[in-house]
Amino acid sequence: MSNTEAVHEPSEPAQQLTTTGESDERVREEWTEYDFAGDAKLAVEDLDVYYGDEQALQSISLDVPEESVTALIGPSGCGKSTFLRCLNRMNDRVKSARIDGSVQLDDEEIYTDGVNLVELRKRIGMVFQEPNPFPKSIRDNISYGPRKHGDLDTGLLARVLGRDDREQEADLVERALRRAALWDEVEDRLDDNALGLSGGQQQRLCIARALAVDPDVILMDEPASALDPIATAKIEDLIEELAEDYTVVVVTHNMQQAARISDQTAVFLTGGELVEYGDTDQIFENPESQRVEDYITGKFG
Amino acid sequence: MSSVTRNRLVAGDSTTSVLVARGVLAASALAFFASWLVLFQWVDETALVAGVHVLKLLGVALVAAGVGLTVVGVGSRLEYFESTPSSSAGLPVGFVFGLLWAVLGGLVATRLLGNALAMWLPVAAGFGIVGLLVSVLPREDVGSTLPVAAILVLLGGYVVVGGINAGWTWSPSWSSAVFPGSELVPLLVVFGALLSAWSAAKAREGFGAEGRQSGAYYLVGSVVFAMLGVLALLVAFIVKNGLETMLTRTSLTGGHLTLPFVGSVPWAEFPFLMNQTGGLFVEVPGVLPAVMGTLWLVFGAVLFAVPLGIGAAVFLTEYAERGRFTQVVEVATNGLWSTPSIVFGLFGLAFLVPRISGGNSIFVGQLVLGFMLLPLVLITSREAILAVPDEHRDASAALGVTKWETIRSVVLPAAMPGTITGVILGVGRIAGETAPLLLVFGGSPYPSSYPNVLGSFQFSTQPPFVTNDALLSPASALPYQLYSTITAGVFPKEIFTNTEFGWGTALVLLCVVLGLYAIGVGSRLYFRRKLHHE
């Protein structure tokens, strides 16, 4: 995993000097402050992540506005994927990970005792780098989440008791696939195995699968990096459309992609620190940090 | 780059050497197949083909191959044929030939000089060193043909002049074994044919890298072919011996089947499969009790071992932390799988029999075979579960699905084909298991009724609420039946001898095991289809 690549020398929190960047400039607090209209969907406050003894994220604070696309960019090993996986507590699955700080979804803390992980992950869906559909039919891939959450019941018992949800299932599958712009391509082969789809179709299926449980937030971890340019363009269009109804946070190492699809951009640099966060146009045209400028213009990273 | 030799890009027209090499290959192949036919006694070793003894013909083939190889090798060395040999055949080839020559020299020396160590050892060593040097020192085209050709001509020539014939036997003083010429000659010819095929295949491609590739291909191919031939022979032998017994008094419409409302209709009759083994009124003794016994044993063992094995595999892979504990369990299960079955049987006899049935019984047999099956199911399902990609687990967790639901709906279905493979292998082993059955299961060698397990359930309101006498009684299974019949000496009915009955039982056992395999392979295919779009 790229997360463990982050190498960092412990430093005083007061004076955060990077030791691996090209310049030794200090991160100023106002660079990461981003004012936007409306409420914050996700509010991250002083988030530290350690893998064993290595610190992967350093005191990240960042607010994600509702119904928008937020891009996280940065070189490999800068902790952007780690950050993303903190937002739906997927890092709990990594045994060596230790997480300090606060993440709030709609003003509710998700890093406290008694958080219902099932409910949390229903509200915050995730799409991975490699398309990972289950080895099941297209229909079963979509209805997997709702079925397991008890929202759909098409089993034998339900059929006998007359509580068959087949129509709701068909409805939900169609809605999710249409939303992910895949319906037209698969409508007459819903019972085929999902592994028979092309890479781009599989990734849109994974997005549809995440949409089927009706989340508020969708996290995407380099969703197009394993795809060809045409499939990538389709995913990018889809992300922009999704931002009308959902809050999308997308990790990418493709800066043009971030510039094309995102409303705001957060730049992580080596060492697991957030260097600059702001309007995408401003970050790409007139960054305040010298290191961010170097990174964006391709001088390092 | 002056030390790099460059060969012509397009091979020159050297049809003569290719033709000779092909001829040698053909002679080797013919000799190879003919020797197997003689070995399997499908061709009598004293048969005459075109007026010549078949063994002598084999010798002629070897000599011809040797001469052909010499022509190709020497012709290539004298640049008469175009080829691309390396500078040497290489040390590994040299060691093999050195060893062969040493053996050959030793044999010749013991034949001529007697068995004294001081006499034959120097000769053998000398031959070995010559063989090594002749293969390694000259260029590859000579080094990989002449040592072979010499062996072929020596062996073939000795056979042709009648040094070894069908009636000849070799009974070395250091062993009580006797090797008749009828087996020794074909064996030597098979061996020589492999060597000459390897050498000729190299020569056909003009030696060098392509030649070595071709040689390896022919050598590996013929060895594989020989192995498959032996397996096919084994099955054919059992079928040949058992078929007559199995089909005794069989008729396709001779029997009668009574159907409700219709009455009696003609029906196929297979007495050997459908009759009891013993009993006063049985004309043709059959193996029905043993077949039923085997099926019940396998069914019970699978029912016991599969859920437990899969459950343990899920716990070890998905829940337990990888560490000392899982390692110990891993080593222990591997050890259990290689534990001899008689040990399981002894455990059943000493521990289970007194506690459960007080005597031999189907139920204890099922448990013992289940214990034997358990480690393999555990090992294979653990491997299959580990092979399920973590991406599936991540995807499921990211949808908010709990771990147990993920295991049930994603991990286990994906691991199903691997698990079934394990069960197939295990069932193949336990269905033919005899040793533990002798201790905990077997009853009368000539049972007059088959175990009626389904019809023996009795329910009561008193504990233990359900009893089954048939499960707690001894029975017969096919391997047990086979063993007890062929060791009994005399068969009680005159229609079969005990050997005939044994062969029939062996054939039925083979069919039952293959049938179980077919079921397993079928279900594995079904799950594969479901998982992948094939």
Side-chain angles (χ1 to χ4, degrees):
Chain A
M1 249 189 332
S2 64
N3 299 327
T4 48
E5 289 162 21
V7 178
H8 172 73
E9 295 180 7
S11 59
E12 295 289 313
Q15 38 168 347
Q16 288 186 337
L17 291 173
T18 76
T19 52
T20 44
E22 293 231 319
S23 72
D24 49 359
E25 69 170 2
R26 200 177 289 182
V27 178
R28 292 207 209 119
E29 221 162 74
E30 63 263 26
W31 293 349
T32 60
E33 272 169 17
Y34 174 50
D35 293 321
F36 51 86
D39 295 332
K41 188 73 187 173
L42 284 162
V44 182
E45 192 76 34
D46 288 330
L47 187 72
D48 291 305
V49 176
Y50 304 85
Y51 291 115
D53 291 335
E54 287 174 12
Q55 191 168 9
L57 285 180
Q58 296 184 37
S59 187
I60 308 288
S61 299
L62 176 156
D63 289 355
V64 176
E66 223 170 352
E67 290 171 10
S68 65
V69 180
T70 306
L72 311 178
I73 63 172
S76 302
C78 68
K80 54 193 192 299
S81 289
T82 300
F83 177 76
L84 193 76
R85 292 166 68 91
C86 286
L87 299 181
N88 64 346
R89 291 190 60 168
M90 282 295 274
N91 271 337
D92 292 14
R93 292 164 55 75
V94 181
K95 290 209 175 62
S96 64
R98 187 162 61 78
I99 297 141
D100 290 334
S102 142
V103 177
Q104 292 188 330
L105 171 68
D106 290 327
D107 297 328
E108 273 187 287
E109 178 61 42
I110 68 169
Y111 278 100
T112 55
D113 293 339
V115 170
N116 182 347
L117 280 185
V118 172
E119 197 55 38
L120 172 70
R121 289 174 184 162
K122 273 167 79 174
R123 292 208 203 149
I124 308 186
M126 190 165 199
V127 176
F128 296 83
Q129 181 172 2
E130 291 279 336
N132 57 356
F134 299 124
K136 299 171 183 288
S137 72
I138 295 173
R139 186 200 314 278
D140 286 349
N141 262 283
I142 304 291
S143 56
Y144 176 79
R147 270 191 208 178
K148 295 296 152 195
H149 297 143
D151 299 333
L152 280 180
D153 198 348
T154 57
L156 187 63
L157 188 64
R159 231 178 295 168
V160 172
L161 296 178
R163 282 196 232 126
D164 195 357
D165 291 331
R166 247 147 225 276
E167 285 172 27
Q168 287 96 310
E169 184 193 26
D171 202 43
L172 178 131
V173 169
E174 178 172 349
R175 247 184 308 135
L177 285 172
R178 277 194 194 284
R179 201 71 185 80
L182 190 59
W183 175 254
D184 295 338
E185 292 162 57
V186 299
E187 99 185 271
D188 46 1
R189 47 175 175 146
L190 292 176
D191 289 317
D192 287 7
N193 196 301
L195 297 180
L197 298 175
S198 73
Q201 288 174 326
Q202 286 187 10
Q203 194 60 301
R204 277 179 283 151
L205 179 69
C206 292
I207 295 175
R209 183 176 65 187
L211 295 178
V213 295
D214 195 24
D216 296 344
V217 180
I218 303 170
L219 310 176
M220 297 190 180
D221 191 353
E222 307 195 19
S225 68
L227 304 179
D228 65 79
I230 293 173
T232 301
K234 283 189 185 164
I235 300 281
E236 288 182 6
D237 291 347
L238 180 57
I239 291 173
E240 285 182 289
E241 273 173 43
L242 289 176
E244 291 165 16
D245 300 312
Y246 303 91
T247 305
V248 182
V249 183
V250 53
V251 163
T252 175
H253 57 221
N254 180 338
M255 281 176 282
Q256 285 76 23
Q257 187 175 62
R260 277 195 298 267
I261 61 175
S262 67
D263 301 308
Q264 54 276 334
T265 300
V267 186
F268 288 70
L269 289 181
T270 320
E273 52 180 357
L274 174 63
V275 180
E276 196 162 345
Y277 177 44
D279 214 55
T280 297
D281 295 339
Q282 182 255 315
I283 294 274
F284 278 93
E285 280 158 23
N286 188 20
E288 292 180 74
S289 157
Q290 183 61 40
R291 282 193 296 154
V292 169
E293 185 165 352
D294 289 349
Y295 174 65
I296 283 170
T297 52
K299 283 190 190 156
F300 99 99
Chain B
M1 300 283 276
S2 57
S3 66
V4 175
T5 53
R6 306 202 104 179
N7 297 314
R8 279 169 60 174
L9 197 56
V10 180
D13 192 20
S14 54
T15 35
T16 322
S17 73
V18 171
L19 272 182
V20 175
R22 277 197 190 146
V24 175
L25 269 180
S28 316
L30 266 178
F32 187 78
F33 288 119
S35 328
W36 280 116
L37 288 182
V38 175
L39 264 183
F40 295 162
Q41 311 218 306
W42 286 342
V43 173
D44 192 53
E45 65 267 16
T46 54
L48 297 175
V49 179
V52 188
H53 279 292
V54 79
L55 292 186
K56 286 198 174 176
L57 271 183
L58 290 179
V60 170
L62 281 198
V63 173
V67 172
L69 284 178
T70 315
V71 169
V72 179
V74 174
S76 163
R77 183 69 190 90
L78 299 177
E79 313 285 335
Y80 183 67
F81 304 128
E82 198 165 324
S83 60
T84 54
S86 309
S87 57
S88 160
L91 267 187
V93 172
F95 279 124
V96 171
F97 285 146
L99 199 67
L100 291 180
W101 277 61
V103 171
L104 206 66
L107 284 177
V108 171
T110 40
R111 211 88 195 116
L112 299 179
L113 305 173
N115 261 345
L117 186 72
M119 301 297 277
W120 65 261
L121 192 63
V123 181
F127 266 72
I129 290 168
V130 170
L132 172 73
L133 294 182
V134 170
S135 345
V136 174
L137 288 185
R139 224 168 64 170
E140 190 192 12
D141 44 5
V142 173
S144 59
T145 52
L146 280 196
V148 180
I151 292 176
L152 294 181
V153 171
L154 257 175
L155 275 182
Y158 197 55
V159 173
V160 171
V161 300
I164 313 179
N165 56 37
W168 181 89
T169 55
W170 180 42
S171 43
S173 55
W174 42 264
S175 158
S176 60
V178 175
F179 301 94
S182 55
E183 283 171 21
L184 204 59
V185 173
L187 272 179
L188 288 174
V189 172
V190 163
F191 179 70
L194 283 179
L195 277 181
S196 77
W198 169 78
S199 186
K202 278 184 93 167
R204 199 186 62 172
E205 298 297 327
F207 306 97
E210 275 187 64
R212 285 192 288 276
Q213 141 77 18
S214 164
Y217 173 80
Y218 272 85
L219 197 63
V220 174
S222 354
V223 169
V224 168
F225 204 87
M227 290 310 300
L228 292 180
V230 170
L231 289 182
L233 172 86
L234 200 146
V235 173
F237 199 65
I238 293 172
V239 171
K240 188 182 138 202
N241 281 297
L243 199 60
E244 199 188 332
T245 309
M246 198 172 94
L247 296 182
T248 308
R249 301 221 191 137
T250 302
S251 67
L252 278 179
T253 51
H256 291 282
L257 183 73
T258 313
L259 291 176
F261 310 118
V262 184
S264 178
V265 292
W267 191 251
E269 195 177 39
F270 289 102
F272 188 74
L273 293 180
M274 302 310 292
N275 281 4
Q276 312 295 352
T277 317
L280 275 179
F281 306 106
V282 175
E283 273 184 53
V284 182
V287 290
L288 184 65
V291 172
M292 294 304 286
T294 290
L295 291 181
W296 276 115
L297 272 179
V298 168
F299 177 75
V302 167
L303 204 66
F304 172 79
V306 168
L308 274 182
I310 295 180
V314 165
F315 177 78
L316 285 174
T317 51
E318 301 285 325
Y319 289 102
E321 292 249 354
R322 283 200 70 75
R324 182 63 41 101
F325 172 68
T326 52
Q327 273 175 353
V328 168
V329 173
E330 217 162 287
V331 171
T333 44
N334 290 345
L336 269 181
W337 174 238
S338 22
T339 301
S341 55
I342 189 82
V343 176
F344 282 94
L346 198 60
F347 166 75
L349 179 67
F351 188 84
L352 295 178
V353 165
R355 282 166 178 77
I356 293 176
S357 52
N360 287 5
S361 70
I362 299 180
F363 188 58
V364 174
Q366 289 173 331
L367 282 183
V368 167
L369 292 188
F371 291 150
M372 289 178 53
L373 184 58
L374 188 58
L376 186 70
V377 175
L378 173 53
I379 292 168
T380 47
S381 6
R382 192 180 56 207
E383 292 302 320
I385 291 174
L386 284 177
V388 175
D390 266 342
E391 282 79 35
H392 292 338
R393 299 185 181 88
D394 280 348
S396 188
L399 287 168
V401 177
T402 54
K403 192 168 192 168
W404 168 240
E405 286 285 352
T406 303
I407 293 170
R408 209 172 61 94
S409 323
V410 178
V411 176
L412 283 185
M416 216 53 194
T419 305
I420 291 176
T421 307
V423 176
I424 297 174
L425 287 175
V427 163
R429 180 179 170 194
I430 61 166
E433 199 53 74
T434 321
L437 299 188
L438 293 175
L439 296 180
V440 302
F441 170 81
S444 153
Y446 308 111
S448 53
S449 66
Y450 65 86
N452 185 8
V453 173
L454 284 182
S456 302
F457 279 103
Q458 283 180 332
F459 301 93
S460 63
T461 51
Q462 304 288 322
F465 304 112
V466 53
T467 54
N468 190 324
D469 284 340
L471 270 184
L472 296 181
S473 317
S476 182
L478 284 165
Y480 172 78
Q481 182 77 56
L482 180 55
Y483 175 82
S484 49
T485 309
I486 58 178
T487 50
V490 188
F491 199 70
K493 305 267 175 184
E494 272 183 18
I495 185 164
F496 299 131
T497 65
N498 60 336
T499 332
E500 280 169 352
F501 192 83
W503 278 118
T505 314
L507 179 57
V508 175
L509 174 59
L510 193 71
C511 293
V512 167
V513 170
L514 289 182
L516 292 173
Y517 262 54
I519 295 174
V521 171
S523 48
R524 185 174 58 180
L525 265 182
Y526 168 76
F527 279 106
R528 279 231 178 115
R529 287 258 163 79
K530 240 174 93 175
L531 289 174
H532 311 291
H533 60 106
E534 272 170 1

